[in-house]
Amino acid sequence: MKNILKTTSLLITGFILFASCDENRYRKYFNVKNNSGKLIYWGVSHSYPDTSLKSIVNIPGKNTAYKIYPGDIYAFTMSMFSRNPTVQLFIFDKDVIENTPWDTIVKYNMILKHYQFTESELEKMSWPITYDEN
């Protein structure tokens, strides 16, 4: 009975400490919102200061998970910053990704938008990244 009481007390104390943590201090994700009226694709690079498309980790392509539909939000894990303190996010037009060979996209730098940011810069922006065609 004594062990059950100790275990229960320890679990309750741990839960109270966990629940009282500042949510933003231990953030695990950041969001990208597509405020445009069209489907977009994304690609990420951890090779800053190299800003070329050659360094994109997973090449976006037709029928992949690298899509953000109009009005949708995509959550990225903060573990992206473990490789490099500056992460680069590239936004691509749907028609370009689905109809243009990747080497042509790279050669002509066919992107809609390029973002680069550190974790502290995201904190200053209150974390969301919004793509709105501008």
Side-chain angles (χ1 to χ4, degrees), residues 66-82:
Y66 304 100
K67 300 177 181 180
I68 308 175
Y69 289 91
D72 278 357
I73 296 173
Y74 189 91
F76 289 85
T77 179
M78 293 303 292
S79 65
M80 297 178 107
F81 291 100
S82 64

Side-chain angles (χ1 to χ4, degrees), residues 21-72:
C21 290
D22 177 14
E23 178 184 321
N24 290 329
R25 185 173 173 201
Y26 300 102
R27 186 175 291 274
K28 294 180 182 175
Y29 300 95
F30 66 92
N31 298 319
V32 175
K33 181 168 184 181
N34 179 1
N35 268 358
S36 75
K38 59 186 178 182
L39 171 70
I40 56 174
Y41 282 79
W42 59 267
V44 170
S45 169
H46 305 285
S47 299
Y48 181 82
D50 177 5
T51 60
S52 72
L53 298 180
K54 295 177 196 172
S55 60
I56 288 183
V57 178
N58 293 309
I59 298 169
K62 192 188 284 188
N63 299 321
T64 68
Y66 304 100
K67 300 177 181 180
I68 308 175
Y69 289 91
D72 278 357

